[in-house]
Amino acid sequence: MPHLLAKLTNVPLEVIKEVLHKDAEFHASQGMYLEHIWENADVENEVQFLFRIDDITATKILIDKLHSDALAENPGANLPAMTYFL
């Protein structure tokens, strides 16, 4: 089962939990299911979260579009780094 690990910096854990909870229905409709959220014990305000995903290619296309749109709206947008696993 493929997974997506996202790492986001400069965002408190509670903020990203709220955002992910709010977006859960959209993520599920796109084949993305949140499994875990971690706060880095050594780096303040660094959060990593893991999604189980249905399709790596479809998820990459979606993330690329969402990130491109976010950067077009705000070139300094704080976006997570994504790592995909088979």
Side-chain angles (χ1 to χ4, degrees):
M1 170 97 10
H3 283 80
L4 164 61
L5 180 66
K7 180 174 84 171
L8 187 58
T9 57
N10 300 317
V11 178
L13 177 64
E14 292 309 316
V15 171
I16 195 61
K17 278 185 175 181
E18 183 179 318
V19 169
L20 290 171
H21 177 73
K22 184 185 83 150
D23 293 346
E25 188 175 324
F26 170 74
H27 288 142
S29 76
Q30 300 300 311
M32 301 171 62
Y33 311 94
L34 184 66
E35 291 193 338
H36 298 286
I37 303 172
W38 298 278
E39 183 175 30
N40 188 332
D42 296 319
V43 179
E44 186 176 354
N45 290 330
E46 179 183 290
V47 178
Q48 297 191 29
F49 41 102
L50 182 71
F51 286 97
R52 177 177 40 86
I53 57 177
D54 290 339
D55 183 297
I56 287 178
T57 302
T59 302
K60 282 183 176 184
I61 290 168
L62 173 66
I63 297 298
D64 287 347
K65 180 180 179 348
L66 293 173
H67 285 190
S68 293
D69 291 349
L71 290 171
E73 188 174 309
N74 175 7
N78 183 19
L79 301 173
M82 305 297 201
T83 303
Y84 297 87
F85 298 96
L86 292 173

